[in-house]
C-alpha cells in the first residue's frame, strides 16, 4: 500500500474510534508523540515514588505504613506497564531510562516539590493523584491501544490512592490543633503545583492541537484543569479547610468555579530544572540505577551460565 | 529505662512481641529499598516481602495486645502502642534484622538466612501449644515459602554471577554470619515448656538447608568457630536500633495521643 493510502486508513481508524495497535502503520510523528507522552508518564510514576517513599519509615501507624507502602509499590507497577506500552512502539526500556537520566525526557514537575510533613502524604493522594485521575480517565479512551489498556488498569488503582489521601487529611482535619494546622499547611503548599500538573494554558501548549486531532488527548489542558478545580472546591468543604486562592468563587453563569492566575514563572522555572528537588530526584534515580548495575550484570551472567549448561546437557 | 510495657511478664506475650518485633524491624529495613531497587521488578519484589513481614507483625502485635488487655482491661494496648510506644531496651527483635540494609547482597543474604529460619520455626508453630499463634503461623508460611524461594534464587545469582557479585556475597556473609546463632539460643520466654518448640534443635536443619544453597552458589559456609553476637532477644541491641526507632516513632512521639 502506498503511504497515502496507509495514512488514510490510519485516519479512518482514528475517526471510527478503532484503536491503533503496535503493528499498524502510523505516522512517524504519532509514534514519537506517543513515545514522548507514555515515557513521560512512566517516568512520573517512578520518580513519583520518591516523595512518598520519604515517609514510609516514619508513617504514624502500622496500618498507614502498610497502605503507603502498597501505594508506592503500585506506582512501580504502573511504571512497569507504561514502560511496556512504550516498548511496543519500538524503543527499549534501557533507552527510555537513559533519556530520563540524561535529562532529555521529562517527568511531572509536581514531584520536584518536597514532602515536609505527614500531611503531605494526604495532600499528594488527594490533590496530585486527584489531578492525575482526571487526566488518566481521559487517557483510558486514548487512540493508541496499549496505552489505553494500561490506563484502564492504572485508573482502578489510582482511585484507591485518591481515597486514601483524602482519608489521611480527613483524619487530620478531625484531630488536634496541630494536626489541623498540618493539614491546612499541606493544602496550601500543594494546591498551586497541582493546578500546574495540567500543563500550560491551551494558548501556550504546543502539542495539544495535534494530540487532540489524533485522539491521544480528548480534552485540553484548560478543560481538564477546570474539571479538577470544580471537583476539589467541593471536596475541600468536607475537610473544613480552605484552598489558598482568594479568587476562587462559584460562577453561576459558567456553572464552574472561577479561580486565580497560576504563577507561570514558577511553572516554567520548575519545568526547566530549578524546582526545590529537581536535582535530588534525578540524582536518586541515577544512583539507584548505577548502584544496581552490578546486580543486573550478575543476574545476566548467571542466566547465561545456566543457558550454556542446558545446551551442553 | 522501662515503660509500662516492661510489666507484661507473661512469657507468651513476650514471645509474641519477639516474633512481631523481628518481622517489623526487618520490614522497616527492607522498606528503605522502595523506590531505590536495582531494577524495577525487584523493587516491587522486595516491597512485597516488606508488606508481608509488616502484615505478619501486625497479626502478632494484635494478638499480644488482645492477651494483655484481657489480663489488664485498663491497659488499652493496640498494635500501634506496642509497635510505637516502647523503649529501645524493650524491643526483642533479632540483631540480624536491625543491621543496615547494606548493598543488595547484604539485603538478599539477610532475607535468605532469616526466611529459612522463619520457615522452620513457623512450621513448628503449626503444632505449637497456642492455637491462635498456630493460625498466624499458617497464614504467614504461605508468604515465607515465597521469601525462601525468591531469596535463594538471588543467593545463587549473586554467588555464581560475576566476580564482583561473588565478592560482595562473601563480604555479606562475613558481616552477617555472626548474627545467626542468636536465632537458635532460646530466651527465657522461648523455653520449650512455654512454646512447645525446642528452638536449639532447629539449627541443624537450618544449617543443612542454608549450606546447600550457599554451596550451589559457590560460596564457602563460614567456619563454626566464629564468635557469635547475641542480645536482641533480651533487648540489648546494636547502635543502629536507636536510629530505627527515631524514624519509626517520630510522629507518635512528637504528637502524643493523636489519631492518624
Amino acid at each position: 500500500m502506498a503511504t497515502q493510502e496507509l495514512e488514510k486508513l490510519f485516519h479512518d481508524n482514528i475517526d471510527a474510534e478503532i484503536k491503533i495497535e503496535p503493528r499498524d502503520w502510523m505516522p512517524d510523528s504519532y509514534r514519537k508523540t506517543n513515545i514522548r507522552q507514555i515515557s513521560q508518564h512512566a517516568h512520573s510514576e517512578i520518580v513519583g515514588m520518591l516523595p512518598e517513599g520519604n515517609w514510609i519509615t516514619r508513617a504514624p501507624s502500622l496500618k498507614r505504613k502498610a497502605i503507603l507502602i502498597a501505594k508506592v509499590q503500585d506506582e512501580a507497577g504502573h511504571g512497569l506497564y507504561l514502560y511496556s506500552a512504550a516498548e511496543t512502539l519500538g524503543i527499549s526500556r534501557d533507552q527510555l531510562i537513559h533519556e530520563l537520566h540524561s535529562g532529555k525526557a521529562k517527568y511531572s514537575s509536581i514531584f520536584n516539590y518536597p514532602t515536609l510533613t505527614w500531611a503531605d502524604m494526604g495532600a499528594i493522594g488527594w490533590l496530585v493523584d486527584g489531578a492525575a485521575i482526571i487526566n488518566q480517565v481521559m487517557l483510558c479512551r486514548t487512540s493508541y491501544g496499549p496505552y489505553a489498556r494500561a490506563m484502564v488498569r492504572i485508573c482502578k488503582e489510582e482511585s484507591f490512592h485518591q481515597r486514601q489521601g483524602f482519608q489521611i487529611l480527613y483524619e487530620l482535619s478531625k484531630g488536634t490543633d496541630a494536626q489541623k494546622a498540618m493539614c491546612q499547611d499541606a493544602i496550601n503548599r500543594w494546591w498551586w503545583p497541582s493546578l500546574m500538573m495540567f500543563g500550560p494554558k491551551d494558548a501556550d501548549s504546543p502539542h495539544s492541537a495535534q494530540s487532540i486531532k489524533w485522539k491521544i488527548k480528548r480534552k485540553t489542558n484548560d478543560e481538564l484543569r477546570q474539571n479538577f478545580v470544580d471537583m476539589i472546591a467541593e471536596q475541600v468543604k468536607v475537610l473544613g479547610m480552605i484552598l489558598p486562592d482568594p479568587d476562587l468563587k462559584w460562577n453561576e453563569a459558567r456553572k464552574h468555579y472561577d479561580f486565580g492566575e497560576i504563577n507561570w514563572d514558577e511553572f516554567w522555572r520548575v519545568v526547566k530544572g530549578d524546582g526545590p528537588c529537581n536535582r535530588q530526584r534525578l540524582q536518586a534515580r541515577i544512583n539507584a540505577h548505577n548502584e544496581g548495575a552490578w546486580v543486573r550484570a550478575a543476574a545476566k551472567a548467571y542466566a547465561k551460565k545456566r543457558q550454556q549448561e542446558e545446551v551442553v546437557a | 529505662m522501662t515503660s509500662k510495657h516492661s510489666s507484661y511478664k507473661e512469657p507468651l506475650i513476650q514471645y509474641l512481641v519477639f516474633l512481631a518485633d523481628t518481622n517489623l524491624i526487618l520490614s522497616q529495613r527492607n522498606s528503605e529499598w522502595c523506590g531505590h531497587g536495582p531494577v524495577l521488578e525487584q523493587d516491587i519484589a522486595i516491597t512485597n516481602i516488606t508488606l508481608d513481614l509488616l502484615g505478619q507483625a501486625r497479626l502478632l502485635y494484635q494478638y499480644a495486645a488482645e492477651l494483655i488487655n484481657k489480663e489488664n482491661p485498663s491497659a488499652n494496648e493496640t498494635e500501634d502502642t506496642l509497635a510505637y510506644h516502647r523503649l529501645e531496651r524493650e524491643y526483642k527483635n533479632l540483631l540480624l534484622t536491625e543491621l543496615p540494609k547494606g548493598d543488595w547482597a547484604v539485603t538478599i543474604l539477610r532475607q535468605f538466612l532469616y526466611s529459612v529460619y522463619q520457615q522452620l520455626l513457623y512450621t513448628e508453630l503449626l503444632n505449637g501449644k497456642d492455637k491462635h499463634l498456630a493460625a498466624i503461623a499458617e497464614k504467614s508460611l504461605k508468604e515465607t515459602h515465597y521469601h525462601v524461594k525468591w531469596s535463594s534464587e538471588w543467593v545463587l545469582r549473586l554467588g555464581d554471577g560475576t566476580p564482583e557479585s561473588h565478592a560482595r556475597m562473601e563480604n555479606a556473609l562475613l558481616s552477617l554470619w555472626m548474627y545467626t546463632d542468636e536465632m537458635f539460643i532460646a530466651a527465657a520466654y522461648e523455653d520449650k515448656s512455654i512454646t512447645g518448640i525446642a528452638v536449639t534443635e532447629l539449627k541443624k536443619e537450618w544449617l543443612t538447608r542454608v549450606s546447600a544453597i550457599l554451596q550451589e552458589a559457590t560460596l564457602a559456609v563460614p567456619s563454626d568457630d566464629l564468635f557469635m553476637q547475641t542480645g536482641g532477644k533480651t533487648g540489648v541491641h546494636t547502635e543502629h536500633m536507636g536510629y530505627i526507632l527515631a524514624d519509626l516513632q517520630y510522629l507518635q512521639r512528637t504528637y502524643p495521643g493523636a489519631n492518624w
Side-chain angles (χ1 to χ4, degrees):
Chain A
M1 239 187 279
T3 307
Q4 267 179 332
E5 286 173 60
L6 288 166
E7 195 154 359
K8 182 175 181 310
L9 186 63
F10 170 81
H11 286 296
D12 288 349
N13 282 343
I14 297 257
D15 291 343
E17 298 289 337
I18 294 169
K19 297 278 180 240
I20 306 302
E21 296 298 336
R23 285 156 193 263
D24 294 346
W25 184 92
M26 61 186 88
D28 225 26
S29 46
Y30 177 85
R31 184 183 300 276
K32 278 192 188 133
T33 299
N34 266 294
I35 289 177
R36 184 176 53 79
Q37 191 174 327
I38 300 170
S39 70
Q40 190 170 319
H41 194 162
H43 299 325
S44 299
E45 296 282 356
I46 300 306
V47 177
M49 295 170 75
L50 299 170
E52 288 174 287
N54 182 36
W55 280 88
I56 287 175
T57 60
R58 292 178 292 172
S61 73
L62 297 183
K63 183 177 150 196
R64 291 276 171 229
K65 189 189 286 286
I67 293 172
L68 182 61
I69 295 171
K71 176 180 190 265
V72 180
Q73 189 194 33
D74 280 349
E75 284 155 13
H78 297 172
L80 208 52
Y81 312 152
L82 288 164
Y83 282 130
S84 302
E87 281 180 313
T88 64
L89 290 159
I91 187 162
S92 70
R93 204 207 294 184
D94 280 349
Q95 181 62 28
L96 293 166
I97 289 173
H98 174 75
E99 287 177 3
L100 171 68
H101 293 177
S102 71
K104 187 183 168 215
K106 298 284 182 217
Y107 56 87
S108 179
S109 273
I110 193 79
F111 302 118
N112 292 319
Y113 288 85
T115 53
L116 303 179
T117 72
W118 172 251
D120 291 17
M121 299 301 98
I124 287 183
W126 179 44
L127 297 174
V128 175
D129 293 325
I133 289 172
I134 297 244
N135 198 30
Q136 288 166 350
V137 165
M138 167 190 77
L139 289 171
C140 291
R141 293 169 52 235
T142 192
S143 58
Y144 186 57
Y147 191 23
R149 289 188 288 274
M151 290 321 306
V152 171
R153 279 178 78 173
I154 289 171
C155 276
K156 284 182 190 154
E157 292 178 344
E158 287 292 349
S159 62
F160 147 73
H161 294 174
Q162 202 205 5
R163 276 202 304 279
Q164 70 85 33
F166 189 80
Q167 190 59 42
I168 287 174
L169 294 184
Y170 186 77
E171 199 70 50
L172 295 175
S173 75
K174 302 279 168 277
T176 63
D177 288 348
Q179 285 177 305
K180 285 178 189 158
M182 189 190 281
C183 180
Q184 183 63 58
D185 169 62
I187 293 170
N188 292 349
R189 283 182 290 108
W190 290 94
W191 171 247
W192 290 105
S194 300
L195 289 187
M196 296 177 195
M197 285 176 70
F198 297 95
K201 281 202 244 191
D202 294 349
D204 303 322
S205 181
H207 304 294
S208 272
Q210 183 63 66
S211 285
I212 286 183
K213 213 168 124 200
W214 278 334
K215 296 185 182 169
I216 295 174
K217 288 176 73 164
R218 303 257 176 180
K219 289 182 177 181
T220 70
N221 294 353
D222 286 335
E223 285 171 320
L224 293 167
R225 190 163 17 238
Q226 182 70 61
N227 291 354
F228 176 70
V229 171
D230 291 347
M231 175 177 85
I232 297 298
E234 288 301 315
Q235 291 176 354
V236 75
K237 294 175 185 169
V238 181
L239 296 175
M241 298 284 149
I242 50 167
L243 296 173
D245 179 358
D247 297 326
L248 186 83
K249 203 167 70 226
W250 177 252
N251 182 326
E252 187 56 38
R254 290 204 308 128
K255 300 283 179 206
H256 285 296
Y257 277 90
D258 291 336
F259 56 98
E261 189 65 20
I262 288 169
N263 180 344
W264 294 108
D265 290 342
E266 176 181 333
F267 173 83
W268 290 112
R269 178 167 55 78
V270 181
V271 167
K272 288 176 180 154
D274 287 325
C277 302
N278 293 56
R279 279 164 193 79
Q280 293 88 329
R281 297 295 187 234
L282 203 54
Q283 198 56 51
R285 287 313 311 156
I286 292 169
N287 290 350
H289 189 75
N290 290 347
E291 284 161 21
W294 70 270
V295 177
R296 297 189 299 274
K300 217 167 163 179
Y302 179 79
K304 203 171 165 192
K305 283 185 200 177
R306 297 289 81 79
Q307 224 170 24
Q308 281 164 349
E309 276 176 17
E310 270 174 38
V311 172
V312 173
Chain B
M1 284 280 286
T2 57
S3 70
K4 68 168 181 169
H5 297 98
S6 289
S7 65
Y8 308 136
K9 301 288 186 206
E10 176 66 38
L12 176 59
I13 290 168
Q14 294 195 42
Y15 187 54
L16 290 169
V17 168
F18 152 67
L19 294 172
D21 287 348
T22 296
N23 282 334
L24 175 68
I25 299 301
L26 183 52
S27 170
Q28 181 83 358
R29 277 304 194 199
N30 282 344
S31 78
E32 294 170 24
W33 280 105
C34 189
H36 306 275
V39 62
L40 200 45
E41 286 82 350
Q42 299 310 323
D43 198 306
I44 294 172
I46 190 75
T47 305
N48 261 331
I49 293 176
T50 300
L51 276 170
D52 287 345
L53 293 170
L54 178 57
Q56 295 169 11
R58 291 182 66 190
L59 293 175
L60 292 158
Y61 284 131
Q62 285 162 12
Y63 182 36
E66 187 188 317
L67 293 179
I68 293 167
N69 294 337
K70 206 186 285 175
E71 193 81 3
N72 178 4
S74 66
N76 289 322
E77 294 290 354
T78 65
E79 58 173 11
D80 287 329
T81 60
L82 290 174
Y84 286 87
H85 294 178
R86 281 177 300 142
L87 300 172
E88 184 174 345
R89 291 278 282 103
E90 295 167 334
Y91 282 78
K92 302 183 198 307
N93 55 286
L94 296 170
L95 297 179
L96 180 71
T97 61
E98 72 200 49
L99 303 172
K101 80 182 200 304
D103 62 9
W104 191 245
V106 168
T107 287
I108 289 296
L109 184 67
R110 164 167 54 193
Q111 192 62 51
F112 170 66
L113 297 173
Y114 175 68
S115 294
V116 173
Y117 156 80
Q118 193 189 12
Q119 189 177 41
L120 289 168
L121 179 64
Y122 281 41
T123 303
E124 292 295 314
L125 286 175
L126 293 178
N127 302 311
K129 288 193 169 178
D130 190 90
K131 291 292 163 256
H132 190 141
L133 179 53
I136 295 174
E138 188 181 3
K139 189 172 182 295
S140 305
L141 270 171
K142 289 177 191 142
E143 296 161 349
T144 308
H145 294 323
Y146 165 73
H147 304 169
V148 170
K149 181 172 180 289
W150 179 84
S151 59
S152 300
E153 287 168 2
W154 271 104
V155 169
L156 295 176
R157 272 185 210 117
L158 299 182
D160 192 16
T162 61
E164 180 178 3
S165 69
H166 183 87
R168 283 177 184 263
M169 282 301 277
E170 282 181 331
N171 280 336
L173 270 168
L174 203 63
S175 55
L176 297 181
W177 195 260
M178 68 179 115
Y179 296 98
T180 55
D181 224 25
E182 186 180 23
M183 302 189 280
F184 307 103
I185 300 170
Y189 53 78
E190 254 186 312
D191 194 83
K192 191 177 177 180
S193 64
I194 295 148
T195 60
I197 296 163
V199 74
T200 323
E201 290 167 18
L202 298 178
K203 186 175 177 180
K204 198 171 157 231
E205 181 59 23
W206 177 83
L207 194 58
T208 304
R209 292 186 188 191
V210 165
S211 301
I213 296 288
L214 291 180
Q215 278 160 10
E216 195 185 333
T218 71
L219 291 161
V221 179
S223 75
D224 57 10
D225 59 2
L226 199 67
F227 182 79
M228 289 289 178
Q229 303 289 341
T230 57
K233 284 179 174 179
T234 51
V236 183
H237 291 279
T238 65
E239 289 182 345
H240 304 295
M241 192 65 186
Y243 294 93
I244 294 178
L245 297 185
D247 265 359
L248 179 78
Q249 300 182 341
Y250 157 62
L251 283 167
Q252 289 268 348
R253 295 290 187 196
T254 310
Y255 304 98
N259 290 317
W260 301 93

